[in-house]
Amino acid sequence: MLRSVILAAARSSRVERLVATAPLTRDVVRRFVAGTGTDDALRATRALVADGLAVTLDYLGEDTVTGEQAVATRDEYLTLLRALAAAGLTPAAEVSVKLSALGQRFDEQLAYDNARAICVAADQAGTTVTLDMEDHTTTDSTLDALTKLRKDHPSTGAVLQAYLRRTESDCRELAGVGSRVRLCKGAYSEPESVAYQSAREVDKSYVRCLNVLMSGAGYPMLATHDPRLIAIGEDRARWFDRGPGEFEFQMLYGIRPDEQARLAGEGYTVRTYLPYGDDWYGYLMRRLAERPANLAFFGRALASKK
Ligand SMILES: Cc1cc2nc3c(=O)[nH]c(=O)nc-3n(C[C@H](O)[C@H](O)[C@H](O)COP(=O)(O)OP(=O)(O)OC[C@H]3O[C@@H](n4cnc5c(N)ncnc54)[C@H](O)[C@@H]3O)c2cc1C
């Protein structure tokens, strides 16, 4: 019910105008999105890097339905990567890419070609690309693209979602030398046939996956704001003798900034996921619609900086 209300609101331009101009919304947007253009992204990146944080930038796009949109998204990433390198912000800043924004839903080959062009530009800029993970119907296609991209661009990173039943096994596959894997809980509404449904089951899966990655030979990227999971990550780093350059924590821009600073102050690598782009409205609404529990997630972030 709540989900369909949010989705209906996401489609309404009247609601968009109302939401976009409401004072609270502007605060929410400013808190979670760097801004609309490349310059805004650079400004926010510079500030985060000056605070000792690493960054991964996500160019926000609406659901890409044409080849022109997909190519325009690719081109924005190419522009961004050149600008980051020119500003001396690489390798501290890398980019996160959604294959759906590059055309995956209607032309997998086009999405792959676009992703490869971004990987080439990232190499030239002295940094890396991480492929975001979307709903479970795209997991195989995204992991196939990753395998192909890693042949020429071995540092290309993957995202695995602990709520999926398959993920512990995917972690085993991807725990080898040179493999960069971001482990998150997962943000989409998924059926019981493929995903754990309770928070407890998801957390237990996260810990099992974290153990596989931290005991493996790759580079784990622990993406969570959950204090218990962060503490377990710190514990396993000691247990498996992983120094600060051998794994990292990741959190979203605007969420628990004090905790991000604390971990960076302890000497850990902490990477902030920084979205920017015109389509911030769709981004925020889709987050809420995918998982209405995120209403509380954003609400908590506004109420607390901890
Ligand atoms: C860097 C990054 C990249 C991501 N990439 C993807 C992706 O590619 N695909 C995907 O499906 N999902 C992605 N996600 C989203 C992720 O899957 C989760 O939906 C999201 O991170 C919320 O899960 P959580 O682990 O933070 O824990 P939650 O279950 O949301 O929260 C657990 C606990 O964390 C604490 N907490 C959470 N938020 C706050 C807050 N605002 N203030 C204070 N305490 C808080 C609270 O104690 C809370 O009980 C990404 C997340 C991050 C951080």
Side-chain angles (χ1 to χ4, degrees):
M1 167 68 179
L2 187 51
R3 187 165 189 274
S4 46
V5 170
I6 297 168
L7 284 172
R11 285 192 298 272
S12 159
S13 51
R14 262 183 69 205
V15 176
E16 176 171 355
R17 267 197 309 280
L18 197 70
V19 170
T21 51
L24 176 65
T25 313
R26 282 203 300 273
D27 286 348
V28 173
V29 175
R30 239 180 266 130
R31 176 100 184 243
F32 297 110
V33 176
T36 53
T38 318
D39 287 351
D40 298 316
L42 283 183
R43 197 174 310 117
T45 303
R46 212 175 271 118
L48 291 165
V49 170
D51 284 344
L53 297 164
V55 178
T56 185
L57 286 127
D58 167 35
Y59 177 60
L60 298 168
E62 279 303 310
D63 292 335
T64 299
V65 291
T66 67
E68 289 74 28
Q69 283 176 312
V71 167
T73 300
R74 177 200 70 190
D75 288 348
E76 172 57 31
Y77 274 105
L78 303 187
T79 303
L80 173 69
L81 283 160
R82 277 193 295 271
L84 288 170
L89 291 168
T90 53
E94 58 136 52
V95 295
S96 285
V97 173
K98 284 186 176 53
L99 288 183
S100 71
L102 300 179
Q104 187 186 37
R105 287 193 211 289
F106 59 91
D107 187 341
E108 286 190 8
Q109 184 62 42
L110 173 71
Y112 173 74
D113 290 342
N114 285 335
R116 199 181 46 194
I118 295 170
C119 287
V120 170
D123 276 355
Q124 285 164 355
T127 191
T128 53
V129 175
T130 298
L131 299 182
D132 281 348
M133 192 59 85
E134 301 176 69
D135 73 77
H136 80 276
T137 62
T138 64
T139 308
D140 282 327
S141 157
T142 302
L143 291 180
D144 286 350
L146 175 86
T147 306
K148 285 199 277 170
L149 289 169
R150 284 195 64 205
K151 289 200 176 113
D152 287 330
H153 309 283
S155 62
T156 308
V159 178
L160 295 176
Q161 298 150 315
Y163 63 15
L164 291 187
R165 298 178 192 277
R166 60 178 284 169
T167 291
E168 195 180 340
S169 146
D170 287 336
C171 284
R172 288 211 175 80
E173 291 286 315
L174 288 176
V177 177
S179 176
R180 295 167 63 248
V181 178
R182 173 193 301 159
L183 180 65
C184 64
K185 289 189 185 181
Y188 297 78
S189 176
E190 298 285 17
E192 214 209 325
S193 52
V194 298
Y196 300 112
Q197 301 294 307
S198 76
R200 188 177 146 77
E201 280 180 310
V202 175
D203 289 359
K204 279 165 64 180
S205 169
Y206 194 105
V207 174
R208 288 196 302 274
C209 294
L210 181 154
N211 286 338
V212 172
L213 295 175
M214 292 294 272
S215 61
Y219 183 80
M221 304 184 279
L222 306 179
T224 182
H225 313 92
D226 192 324
R228 282 196 309 163
L229 296 179
I230 291 168
I232 291 170
E234 291 184 271
D235 176 73
R236 298 305 189 272
R238 284 188 292 273
W239 183 259
F240 294 113
D241 205 19
R242 277 184 180 265
E246 293 169 325
F247 80 105
E248 68 187 44
F249 290 108
Q250 298 190 343
M251 295 189 213
L252 301 177
Y253 183 63
I255 311 276
R256 304 200 71 201
D258 290 356
E259 177 66 358
Q260 298 186 30
R262 181 192 76 77
L263 288 166
E266 300 270 328
Y268 294 112
T269 302
V270 181
R271 191 175 301 276
T272 303
Y273 185 102
L274 181 64
Y276 76 100
D278 279 326
D279 287 327
W280 58 262
Y281 175 78
Y283 165 79
L284 284 185
M285 296 303 271
R286 270 200 308 279
R287 286 273 90 76
L288 299 180
E290 280 156 9
R291 202 172 168 223
N294 279 346
L295 276 172
F297 184 72
F298 284 112
R300 271 202 308 273
L302 275 180
S304 156
K305 286 180 69 196
K306 296 261 157 65

